[in-house]
Amino acid sequence: MMLHRQAISSRMTRMLPSFVRSMATTETPLDASKVKIIKTNTPSKAQPNDQLVFGKTMTDHMLTIEWNRGKGWATPEIKPYAPLSLDPSCCVFHYGFELFEGLKAYRTSDDKISMFRPDMNMKRMNKSAARICLPTFESEELIHLIGKLIQEDKHLVPEGTGYSLYVRPTLIGTTNTLGVSVPDKALLFVICSPVGPYYKTGFKAVRLEATDYATRAWPGGVGDKKLGANYAPCILPQLQAAERGYQQNLWLFGPEKYITEVGTMNVFFAFQNKETGKKELVTAPLDGTILEGVTRDSVLALARENLDPNEWEVNERYFSINEVADRAAKGELLEAFGSGTAAVVSPIKEIGWKGKDISVPLLPGEQSGPLTKQLASWIADIQYGRNKHDNWSQIVAELK
Ligand SMILES: *Cc1c(COP(=O)(O)O)cnc(C)c1O
């Protein structure tokens, strides 16, 4: 871990212009042991599970850490949840100096609270930060601080499969100027929201519109980073697809019409070759246009570890909507699903393309295919502590 952390920070440091680099060496690193905790005087009661709406209710506390070029990271503070006060000229409002993460903490079957693969989110957050000249930080220190934040509000982590605490780390540039330049001030904050299952009554398979009239990400762009700037432009195409009866966009890229992602999730397809009988689970390769999903990585790892290699191939390769349409016509399309932290997996039942609907098979009378269902339960078993996976769960609090 140490090695890895240094590798990131030295690579990031090399990417910065020399005038920034020379100052960076004397900056105070992020230090979780210095945290100052101010507890709320009005702790809230947990809402009943059936009243949780995704991202609407926040917990009682938040974490904030200021950063200054030259000085580095200031004392981390955990304090009552409250509005931020920012100058209207602040660069986050004008030029999009913003990035975020999304991860979850779960109440496990043995009454602990555990975060799922937070190291992956920290690694990705540092990559996003470096890309828009915001400061990077020591991953383990922030994981530690998020753990302390969750401990303060541990009574608000809901219990039950599908229920969890959604954690939203955010980093913004806070320099007050209308000049477009490298921010010399930043604010890292973390807020948390108790959430229920994405689909209240089990899975609900979605209809997608294969979208080639708008592009989510492109080579040399920033589609592989979790920058706020990537999300607002995707809402209009989603509304346009909704007018035609589709819930999400299946984002295509280029003249080949490669399948990239769905909405704000990675996407997987399963095929079976009629001649050889061999099955294949496939997702787009990480070529800089694909967000490096933690769920995507987990699905790939679990599929490679648990599926019979005589029966299944697991591939990261380019594949197009034309391949999907052709193979569906031949009866070779088995399943399709999106993957992401919020819904974990999200089954797909239909894809609108060129005025027709490609239909994706589902289990009889159900809302998903067998592999989708299997992967969802493998992941949930690890998240809720019913099963173990090396280094995937990080305990942050004990409840008993
Ligand atoms: C966050 C996100 C994902 C999923 O990433 P996870 O780490 O699995 O939550 C996929 N695609 C996009 C565009 C995203 O923003």
Side-chain angles (χ1 to χ4, degrees):
M1 266 309 159
M2 265 325 263
L3 244 179
H4 169 71
R5 189 202 296 172
Q6 279 164 358
I8 285 199
S9 49
S10 67
R11 177 153 41 87
M12 298 304 166
T13 307
R14 263 183 278 119
M15 278 170 64
L16 295 171
S18 58
F19 70 94
V20 182
R21 196 163 57 216
S22 63
M23 305 182 82
T25 51
T26 60
E27 289 181 354
T28 310
L30 182 58
D31 183 352
S33 70
K34 288 197 289 196
V35 66
K36 196 170 104 193
I37 301 178
I38 305 159
K39 290 179 197 273
T40 180
N41 293 323
T42 53
S44 63
K45 284 221 169 65
Q47 274 185 308
N49 273 359
D50 61 357
Q51 281 171 30
L52 298 173
V53 180
F54 185 87
K56 281 288 176 202
T57 317
M58 301 300 153
T59 58
D60 294 344
H61 296 88
M62 64 182 190
L63 166 71
T64 64
I65 319 156
E66 289 180 3
W67 174 89
N68 261 273
R69 177 164 342 119
K71 292 193 192 139
W73 292 101
T75 304
E77 291 184 8
I78 291 171
K79 58 193 178 193
Y81 187 93
L84 302 172
S85 176
L86 296 169
D87 192 281
S89 72
C90 194
C91 68
V92 61
F93 297 135
H94 304 276
Y95 308 121
F97 286 98
E98 193 269 357
L99 60 97
F100 64 97
E101 271 302 324
L103 66 158
K104 282 178 172 173
Y106 298 84
R107 189 181 280 247
T108 65
S109 44
D110 54 353
D111 274 312
K112 294 182 167 120
I113 295 172
S114 108
M115 280 193 277
F116 184 68
R117 308 191 72 185
D119 52 318
M120 297 280 285
N121 295 88
M122 296 301 108
K123 198 159 114 184
R124 189 168 71 190
M125 190 169 176
N126 269 310
K127 285 195 202 173
S128 298
R131 181 62 183 83
I132 57 171
C133 299
L134 288 178
T136 57
F137 54 86
E138 292 64 29
S139 291
E140 269 125 288
E141 298 299 313
L142 188 55
I143 293 174
H144 218 84
L145 287 163
I146 293 172
K148 287 180 194 252
L149 174 66
I150 295 171
Q151 278 167 27
E152 288 306 315
D153 288 329
K154 63 185 178 189
H155 63 293
L156 300 176
V157 181
E159 191 173 356
T161 291
Y163 293 86
S164 60
L165 185 73
Y166 185 81
V167 180
R168 168 52 59 88
T170 312
L171 179 57
I172 59 175
T174 53
T175 301
N176 297 328
T177 175
L178 298 182
V180 185
S181 57
V182 188
D184 62 0
K185 282 185 359 177
L187 177 68
L188 195 164
F189 61 91
V190 183
I191 55 177
C192 302
S193 172
V195 297
Y198 209 74
Y199 305 100
K200 287 249 154 22
T201 51
F203 284 130
K204 182 98 187 61
V206 295
R207 302 183 73 223
L208 309 180
E209 182 188 68
T211 302
D212 63 354
Y213 55 88
T215 306
R216 193 198 80 87
W218 44 87
V222 289
D224 60 339
K225 309 290 189 301
K226 242 173 160 62
L227 307 184
N230 284 331
Y231 297 84
C234 292
I235 299 300
L236 183 60
Q238 187 187 344
L239 289 180
Q240 291 166 337
E243 276 169 18
R244 293 183 278 268
Y246 300 97
Q247 283 113 319
Q248 288 289 349
N249 305 91
L250 180 63
W251 301 108
L252 305 181
F253 181 76
E256 298 88 352
K257 315 284 181 201
Y258 287 136
I259 289 178
T260 62
E261 299 202 48
V262 53
T264 58
M265 303 177 98
N266 296 112
V267 70
F268 286 82
F269 281 75
F271 301 112
Q272 181 167 33
N273 185 311
K274 280 262 145 123
E275 268 121 61
T276 63
K278 191 109 183 179
K279 296 178 191 172
E280 182 191 25
L281 177 66
V282 58
T283 193
L286 300 177
D287 65 356
T289 68
I290 304 294
L291 200 289
E292 302 177 11
V294 178
T295 319
R296 175 190 180 280
D297 188 82
S298 307
V299 165
L300 287 170
L302 291 172
R304 285 175 177 141
E305 288 164 22
N306 297 325
L307 296 177
D308 178 357
N310 296 315
E311 195 184 347
W312 283 95
E313 253 182 61
V314 180
N315 290 327
E316 294 164 76
R317 66 164 174 91
Y318 290 108
F319 64 108
S320 69
I321 187 70
N322 299 316
E323 176 179 345
V324 170
D326 291 349
R327 298 188 73 174
K330 281 202 275 178
E332 292 195 340
L333 175 60
L334 296 179
E335 290 179 48
F337 61 90
S339 76
T341 295
V344 187
V345 299
S346 175
I348 296 162
K349 65 177 176 191
E350 257 171 348
I351 303 168
W353 172 239
K354 291 196 171 155
K356 289 200 207 128
D357 284 331
I358 301 169
S359 88
V360 185
L362 299 173
L363 283 165
E366 296 195 38
Q367 287 289 309
S368 86
L371 179 65
T372 308
K373 206 166 147 177
Q374 176 67 264
L375 285 161
S377 86
W378 282 337
I379 295 180
D381 283 346
I382 297 166
Q383 290 170 331
Y384 289 95
R386 299 185 291 256
N387 210 340
K388 301 271 171 261
H389 196 287
D390 288 346
N391 308 317
W392 279 14
S393 292
Q394 191 147 338
I395 305 295
V396 293
E398 309 254 348
L399 296 166
K400 287 195 180 137

